[in-house]
Structures are given as C-alpha cells and as structure tokens.
Amino acid sequence: MKSLYKKYMMQMLYSPLPYLCCIVFVLFCSANFFWGQKFFSETGTTELHAFFYGIPYVCILVIPALASVCGTSKKEYSLPFHALSLCGAKILCIFTVLFVCLLLTVPLPICVSKAGSLEWPSVFSAYSMALFYLLSSSSLAVFVFTAFENAGAAFSSCALILALLNSIHDLPSLSPAVAFLAPLVRFLSFAWHFDAAGKGIIDSRDISFFVISALLFFGLCAFTMEKRRGNRSLGFVKMRFFFFLTAFLLALDSSLFYFRTDVTTQKKFSLSEYSRTLLSEVDQPLSITYYRNKELLSLLPQVRDVGEYLLSFAAESPFVSYRMVDPVKEKKEKMLESAGVYPQNVRTSTDATTSLSSVYSAIILEYLGKTEVIPFASSMQTLEYQLCNKLNSIVRGKNLTAQVLCANEFDLDKNYAYIMPLLQAQGISVLPTFLPSKAQAGTDAEGAAVPIPFTALVKIPLVVLGTSSFTLDDSNDLLDFVRDGGKLFVATSPYSVDMTNWEVKDSGRDWGISALQELGVYFKSTLTADSSCFNICFDASKDAGSPSQKSEYIRYSYWPLLPEQEVARDGMTLTWPCAIETEPSVSAEEGFSVKPLLLTNKTAWQSKKVMGAFLTNPFSASTAAEKGEEKGEFSMAVELYRNGSESPSVIVFGDQYCFSANILPYISSEQMLDTRSLDFIASSVIRLNGEEELLFLKNKNSVDTSLYKIGAESFDSYKKQTLGFTCILPLLLLATLWLYVFIKRRKFNSGR
C-alpha cells in the first residue's frame, strides 16, 4: 500500500488541480468568515463558528475534484494489489491533500486572536472533528468514483451527494410536513455532526458517525472493485455480510453508549443544572416560539446559535415544544406588537455605505395561559439566564424585583436615565419609590397614584442612589427597613460633585451615611485615586469656526479603573469614588457579618485635601500619591450578610456618579455605551433577590468576543496584515511547492 500511496501522491503533486483546490479551500473559508460574518466591521466578532461552518460546503466541489485526479481506471483492476490497498491508498492520498488545506487555514484563528479573546478549546475541537469529517468525505468520494466508471458522472454524483448530506438537516425547517423526519435527517447530515464541534462540543456519537461512515464507504469501495474483478467466492460473500453486520452493530452501540462534552471555557452550549431542574418542574405543555427574520442570519450570523440552543433547551423536557417562525413571511408583525415586541434596527456597514435594517429575534414562552417575552435575543451571551428568568416567573411564580430611590441632587428619570431601562432589559421588574419624608402611599382624592415610600415595600429589594437628601427620620426608617429583613443596595459618598467645573465638595451632614455607620460601614475622608485610570479626551478647535480639532488625552487619576474580579468580570470605571472602611464588631451587634466586595488595584492611593479642597481639575490633578498619602488596595464596595443567610442583605458602593447619564458618555466609546457599572447594579439586585444561581447564568457566557484589542487607528493596518497572513501567505506557500515540484520533475525528465 505504501507504493500505491506514493504513486497517487505523485499524481497529486504533478497535477495543477490539487493546488487550485487548496487555493479555493483557503480563500472560501477566509471569505466566509471575514466577509460573510462581517469581521472587519463594528459588529465583528472573534467567534469562529462561521469559519468552521463553511468547511463542509467548500468540500462539495473540492473533494470530488481531488478524487478525479486519482480516479479509478480499468487498468487498476489488473494491478497485483488487493482492493483494500487500492482504495485505502486513494483515501489517504485525498485526505493528505485536505489535511494540507486545513493546515493552511491555521493562520486565521491566530490572527483573530490578536484582535480579541478566542476560545482555543473550541478551535482545537473543531479542527479535530474537521479531520474526521474530511476522512469520511474522502472515503465517500473514492467509493463514488469507483461505482461510476464515467468521470463526469462520478464528479457530478459525488458533488450532489455531498451537497445533500451537508444540507439535509435543513429539510424539516423548510417544510413542517416532514418535521417528524428531523431525527433521521440530522443523523444522516455530515454538516450537522461536524457543526457541534465547531461550537466547542465534543460528542462521541459524531466521532463514531464519521469513523463508521468512513469504514462503510471504504468497504463498499473495496467490495465494488472486487466484484468487478469477478470475485464471486463464498468467502467474499461472507466477508461482505459480516462487514455490514459489524458496521450496523457499531452504529447501534455508539448511539446507546456515548459521551458529550462542552469544551468551551464558559460551558455556554450546555444546559446548567439550574435549567434542568427548572425544566423538570414543567408538567404541562410549554411552547417556545422563536420569531426571527430570514435576513437577520446574514446580518448577525451568531443568531444561528440562538435557534440551535432553543432546540436543545426544548429537547430536555417532553412537555416543551419549539418552533421557529419568520414573522414577516407569516404576517405576525401585528401579533408581536400586541405582545410588546417591536423590530430592532441593526446597522450594517460597507466601505461606501451604512444602512439600518429592521429585524426580529424575539422569543415567546407560553405556559398555562401565562406568557413571557424576550424582545430581542441576538447571541448566546445571556440567553440561558433570560430563559430561566422567564421560566421562573411562569412556572414557579418568582420574579426579580427592585425599587429604585434617588436621594441626592440628581433626578432619577433625567440624570440616572439608563438604570431603570437596563434593569428591565435584564428581566428585573422596577418600581420608583421615594423617601418617606417626601411621599405617602395610596391615592389622592381623584384616585390617581401618589409617590410610594420605600417603607411600604419591605419585601422588595431597595436601590438607593445617593443619600444627601435623607432626613433624620428617613435614616431611622432605612435602619428599620434593614432590621425588618429588607434588602438594600446603596451607592453613595460623603461628597457632591459640581460637574460644570469638576469640583468635589463635602455634602455636609448626611443622615443616610449616618444610618450606614450604625451598620458598621464608614467612608474615608479622602478621595480614591489610581495611576491605572481613565484617559479623558478633550477636543477644542484651533480657531473659532475652524473645523480642525486638537485633541488632548489626560489620565485622570480620580476616575480609577477597577481590575477584573468576581462581581465585576470586565472591571469598571469609577468616578470620584470614596473608599469604605468597616467595623465588624458594630455590624455584629446588628446581626450582620461584613465582607469586602470590590477592591481597587494595588497602585491606588487616598488623595487628601489641599488647603481644605480636593484638587480635582483634570489639568492639575495629581498623577501619583503625595507624601503621607495611604497606598494599596481599598474597598470600593462591601456587603453585609445577615447571620445564617447565604445571600447578602446590604451592599454599599462608594460611588454615586459612575451610573450617571452625564458621566457614562464620557467613559463610553462612540459605538457602545459602557454598561459595566449598570451591570454591577443588576447583579447586586439579583443577589439581593436570593438568586445566586441565576446570577451565575447571567455571567456564564460573559466572554468578550469583540475586537477590543485593535484600536481604530491601527485597524486598517491589522486588516491588511490579517488578509496577508490568511490569504496571500498560503498562496505563496502553494506556489513555492508547485515550483519546486515542477523543477524537480523537469530535472528528472531531462535526466532520462
């Protein structure tokens, strides 16, 4: 077989067609990812699923073309080799060329990793499964070219069979009448078995499918060749029978005994134990309907994962049904509007134009006459959290809730405009409340609702933004609220900020902070600064009316950057924060234990007043600790646990301005709002609701797949380098190999 393998490899190397096939393979996979997934755009993602998803489809033409180079001829029947050796050598020869094709695509994930985070375990699993897929497809191609004596018919038939096997799993979604065939067509689909590994799921059934199918086509090829040689012996017939029986038993065994492993870092495609427990409580029909435009798949390819995850989610319970609906095609827009679902605008950009497309990607759950809606699901990042949150509501009757109280110089609707919409978007029901000194529960003479004091809703966690408006009675009411079992998140500091001139002043007597001191929580008399801080960009025209701009970046130490930590996975930008100290003995007297929650970098320091005032002007603020100022890690947030409780009762955060609508635009990019501080509030509310498991699901897939490592100024350079390494470099390597083989062959021929 070694000599046969060498013979067929020489045919491959001497023919220009394999080089062309390699070029098509590499360029198609690269183009499918870079342009099909719009990698070089604002919505670009480092998710490589689309890249691997394209491999089966480029093979529809590449594999038959390679098989045609070493196709079966009548002369082979007279060669003194067993059919197993002849077929095996061809399969290995085609597989070798395909392995080289796959190897030439490796620069792509390497270049992508330079732009953002990459799931390397998923990459390795996808490449491994790709090898099994290519081996099985090579075996199929050799069998087809053996079965058809005409090369043209063999090429067409092989391409048609591969196209069918790569897309047959889509048949049930095209016609509801054949939905009952879904398990069968998915089992037969090559692309379906390969697709899971591209997302980071290793399933032994997929590996077994490719191995058994490769052996099956290998055996069919050998039997076909032996039959044409005139082999009709009894031993040959018995061997064929036992071969097919063994293949059947292996296929049966692999479907009965298997393992399935999610190798992604966050296990994002696997159902958590929380989800399984929740679904086990569903004992009546639950319908999950996914309303998605067909066009959305081309705009945001990652929504493909949403549909597939919903399918696996529904498969966990016999009472759950799932279907996907195109709302535009089936005229469901009015129905969705009545359910509170409206089309979302997705921006698409090219080098010449930018356009907005209105699309749907909504999920509606119905159970026992109750309905819950996820208005827009564009990715897997928080999908399981959203599903479980909605199921919690309609199955268990439990809802995430919060009351929000603004008690400083700001206005909740104006200055904290982002907080309530973000909480609601994360499935938290929000109610604005007021200080008891400024509100009375009930209705007025005309029956209209009047402001509700927070004391009227002791069972709902309370979010307090600032405390400078508290009176003595309000502070006593707050203490009674906590002592009676109420849950509290408070963001405050003993200072107020004049944002017109960036001046920080003492707030004077703050009764809200006095109430926190009763719980053993104290604020330092300094401001926290850090050399690891935010760069503020100041723009100014050179001359009045001049379009030219001069930009200056200033590292503002009073806007420190918090490092990544458990409750702040992506860190956070703080604004004029105040460090917190605790007195455990005082907290213990109130029945609480106290723990630090958020810490600064070790490079932080406590900035003192100079001549009675903080020097907070960005152009004169200190960039390093002065002599005598305290340095090190400091607590920016602490949490208090009631004795015997596993979830916190009180969370105190030393910054009331980082959530402000006045500040967030400063610390955000032009394309995206920085919601890290808002997410911290949402996570805190979930914990105060006692849903730590839900919080785990919320953060489960918090891997940043954006191109955050590449700045706008270096993006064009990165694009050129990436295209050079992923497209031009493989072409040069193939050209070099072809030239080397050409010269060697020419020398050999001239020597003869």
Side-chain angles (χ1 to χ4, degrees):
M1 182 168 144
K2 183 177 179 181
S3 58
L4 284 171
Y5 174 73
K6 184 177 180 181
K7 171 184 176 296
Y8 292 128
M9 280 306 302
M10 288 300 103
Q11 286 182 226
M12 287 287 188
L13 291 173
Y14 292 157
S15 172
L17 189 55
Y19 298 95
L20 180 61
C21 289
C22 288
I23 292 172
V24 171
F25 188 100
V26 172
L27 293 183
F28 179 89
C29 292
S30 297
N32 186 57
F33 177 73
F34 290 132
W35 286 277
Q37 189 166 291
K38 297 178 174 60
F39 179 76
F40 298 115
S41 69
E42 294 175 358
T43 59
T45 171
T46 58
E47 175 59 60
L48 289 177
H49 183 209
F51 163 66
F52 291 111
Y53 194 78
I55 290 177
Y57 295 97
V58 70
C59 288
I60 292 173
L61 293 178
V62 167
I63 290 180
L66 292 174
S68 67
V69 177
C70 53
T72 304
S73 65
K74 291 183 179 180
K75 293 181 180 179
E76 292 180 344
Y77 296 130
S78 60
L79 292 175
F81 295 100
H82 195 280
L84 291 174
S85 298
L86 286 165
C87 296
K90 289 181 183 180
I91 292 171
L92 290 179
C93 178
I94 296 172
F95 176 73
T96 301
V97 177
L98 291 170
F99 176 77
V100 172
C101 292
L102 202 61
L103 198 62
L104 290 173
T105 65
V106 170
L108 190 145
I110 294 175
C111 289
V112 169
S113 68
K114 302 298 181 182
S117 300
L118 199 64
E119 283 274 2
W120 282 109
S122 301
V123 174
F124 295 138
S125 71
Y127 270 113
S128 300
M129 192 63 70
L131 294 176
F132 286 106
Y133 167 82
L134 294 176
L135 179 62
S136 180
S137 299
S138 301
S139 184
L140 167 64
V142 172
F143 164 64
V144 173
F145 271 82
T146 303
F148 290 86
E149 295 183 351
N150 182 278
F155 181 93
S156 302
S157 300
C158 185
L160 182 62
I161 293 171
L162 283 172
L164 181 63
L165 291 177
N166 286 334
S167 56
I168 193 173
H169 60 273
D170 291 325
L171 186 61
S173 63
L174 298 176
S175 175
V178 294
F180 68 95
L181 293 175
L184 174 62
V185 296
R186 286 176 193 145
F187 173 76
L188 295 175
S189 172
F190 275 34
W192 180 270
H193 286 283
F194 172 68
D195 185 61
K199 295 184 292 187
I201 301 173
I202 296 178
D203 194 322
S204 64
R205 290 170 295 183
D206 296 330
I207 298 173
S208 300
F209 173 82
F210 287 126
V211 171
I212 293 170
S213 61
L215 291 174
L216 178 64
F217 291 123
F218 173 49
L220 287 172
C221 178
F223 293 143
T224 301
M225 184 171 286
E226 284 295 315
K227 186 176 181 181
R228 286 185 180 166
R229 282 177 166 179
N231 191 342
R232 300 288 192 276
S233 65
L234 181 61
F236 175 73
V237 174
K238 288 182 177 180
M239 182 186 298
R240 186 169 55 186
F241 171 76
F242 284 114
F243 173 81
F244 288 119
L245 179 62
T246 303
F248 173 75
L249 292 176
L250 285 174
L252 184 64
D253 185 61
S254 65
S255 63
L256 294 176
F257 305 99
Y258 63 90
F259 67 87
R260 183 179 174 89
T261 304
D262 184 350
V263 299
T264 58
T265 306
Q266 306 295 327
K267 306 295 181 186
K268 67 178 183 178
F269 293 103
S270 302
L271 266 68
S272 65
E273 194 59 37
Y274 185 87
S275 296
R276 291 192 176 92
T277 302
L278 193 54
L279 285 169
S280 68
E281 298 175 18
V282 175
D283 55 6
Q284 296 295 325
L286 165 68
S287 69
I288 301 177
T289 308
Y290 182 28
Y291 294 92
R292 187 186 78 189
N293 297 69
K294 185 178 180 181
E295 296 77 14
L296 182 60
L297 197 58
S298 60
L299 299 174
L300 296 174
Q302 57 266 34
V303 297
R304 182 191 303 274
D305 295 336
V306 174
E308 292 178 359
Y309 184 83
L310 290 174
L311 185 64
S312 62
F313 191 85
E316 192 66 26
S317 170
F319 294 101
V320 182
S321 62
Y322 164 74
R323 67 190 182 107
M324 184 186 297
V325 175
D326 187 330
V328 177
K329 183 179 179 180
E330 299 194 17
K331 311 294 184 184
K332 298 289 186 180
E333 297 99 322
K334 292 292 184 183
M335 184 276 291
L336 289 175
E337 187 175 330
S338 65
V341 176
Y342 299 91
Q344 302 290 314
N345 290 325
V346 175
R347 182 165 61 177
T348 56
S349 301
T350 64
D351 293 337
T353 61
T354 299
S355 60
L356 291 175
S357 300
S358 294
V359 293
Y360 290 93
S361 183
I363 302 169
I364 296 183
L365 300 90
E366 297 173 285
Y367 183 71
L368 295 178
K370 295 176 284 187
T371 301
E372 286 289 344
V373 178
I374 300 175
F376 194 74
S378 61
S379 69
M380 286 286 300
Q381 187 163 357
T382 59
L383 181 59
E384 187 176 10
Y385 161 75
Q386 291 174 303
L387 287 170
C388 289
N389 190 21
K390 299 302 182 183
L391 283 182
N392 244 339
S393 174
I394 60 178
V395 176
R396 293 177 173 173
K398 296 173 65 177
N399 293 290
L400 295 175
T401 56
Q403 49 175 319
V404 180
L405 164 66
C406 182
N408 56 15
E409 70 275 17
F410 281 173
D411 178 80
L412 179 61
D413 294 329
K414 181 180 178 182
N415 302 102
Y416 289 120
Y418 297 112
I419 290 181
M420 290 182 61
L422 183 129
L423 291 176
Q424 291 167 344
Q426 299 203 11
I428 301 171
S429 300
V430 186
L431 179 69
T433 52
F434 299 83
L435 293 172
S437 61
K438 298 183 178 180
Q440 291 182 342
T443 58
D444 58 17
E446 299 179 357
V450 298
I452 301 174
F454 69 82
T455 50
L457 304 169
V458 179
K459 294 185 178 180
I460 298 179
L462 170 63
V463 175
V464 177
L465 305 169
T467 54
S468 58
S469 299
F470 271 72
T471 64
L472 176 59
D473 289 338
D474 291 330
S475 69
N476 290 330
D477 288 333
L478 184 66
L479 284 172
D480 290 339
F481 177 88
V482 173
R483 288 163 178 162
D484 291 341
K487 302 294 185 70
L488 171 67
F489 173 92
V490 55
T492 188
S493 65
Y495 308 111
S496 62
V497 179
D498 183 352
M499 294 186 183
T500 58
N501 57 13
W502 301 59
E503 185 179 357
V504 178
K505 303 177 181 178
D506 286 315
S507 297
R509 184 59 186 265
D510 190 322
W511 290 106
I513 289 180
S514 298
L516 296 177
Q517 292 173 352
E518 293 287 326
L519 300 175
V521 179
Y522 304 86
F523 289 91
K524 287 180 173 288
S525 58
T526 52
L527 279 181
T528 301
D530 197 339
S531 56
S532 175
C533 55
F534 189 79
N535 274 4
I536 303 178
C537 178
F538 291 94
D539 293 329
S541 298
K542 292 181 179 179
D543 301 303
S546 171
S548 60
Q549 294 283 326
K550 181 180 180 181
S551 299
E552 183 176 356
Y553 287 87
I554 296 179
R555 297 181 64 81
Y556 190 43
S557 59
Y558 291 109
W559 285 6
L561 300 177
L562 290 188
E564 298 178 8
Q565 42 203 301
E566 186 176 355
V567 292
R569 296 292 181 91
D570 300 317
M572 197 187 308
T573 301
L574 302 186
T575 53
W576 305 289
C578 186
I580 299 173
E581 295 179 313
T582 59
E583 184 55 61
S585 60
V586 176
S587 302
E589 290 178 5
E590 292 287 342
F592 294 101
S593 59
V594 60
K595 299 178 182 178
L597 184 60
L598 282 177
L599 296 174
T600 65
N601 290 291
K602 294 180 180 180
T603 54
W605 71 89
Q606 295 303 309
S607 181
K608 298 179 179 179
K609 294 179 180 178
V610 177
M611 298 181 66
F614 292 110
L615 300 179
T616 53
N617 186 292
F619 296 95
S620 58
S622 60
T623 57
E626 302 290 339
K627 185 177 180 180
E629 291 180 335
E630 188 180 358
K631 305 178 197 176
E633 282 185 325
F634 301 96
S635 295
M636 291 292 100
V638 297
E639 54 187 350
L640 280 71
Y641 286 79
R642 196 177 304 278
N643 294 338
S645 175
E646 295 183 357
S647 60
S649 295
V650 178
I651 297 175
V652 183
F653 182 46
D655 187 350
Q656 58 187 309
Y657 295 104
C658 64
F659 320 111
S660 167
N662 306 74
I663 294 297
L664 284 174
Y666 274 104
I667 62 177
S668 302
S669 65
E670 293 182 2
Q671 293 80 22
M672 188 177 297
L673 186 72
D674 187 338
T675 62
R676 292 176 297 174
S677 59
L678 302 174
D679 284 333
F680 176 65
I681 293 184
S683 298
S684 298
V685 168
I686 294 171
R687 297 181 68 216
L688 292 173
N689 272 272
E691 293 289 352
E692 295 277 358
E693 290 178 294
L694 264 182
L695 179 60
F696 169 78
L697 295 184
K698 176 177 176 290
N699 297 325
K700 178 181 175 182
N701 299 328
S702 60
V703 177
D704 187 1
T705 61
S706 65
L707 313 185
Y708 66 90
K709 293 182 181 179
I710 305 298
E713 67 282 354
S714 59
F715 196 82
D716 288 338
S717 174
Y718 168 78
K719 180 178 180 180
K720 293 176 182 177
Q721 292 176 5
T722 299
L723 293 177
F725 276 107
T726 58
C727 299
I728 307 300
L729 180 60
L731 299 187
L732 292 176
L733 292 174
L734 289 169
T736 303
L737 177 61
W738 177 83
L739 185 61
Y740 172 78
V741 172
F742 175 79
I743 294 173
K744 291 285 288 184
R745 187 181 185 188
R746 189 171 183 180
K747 287 182 178 180
F748 176 78
N749 291 335
S750 62
R752 293 183 63 185

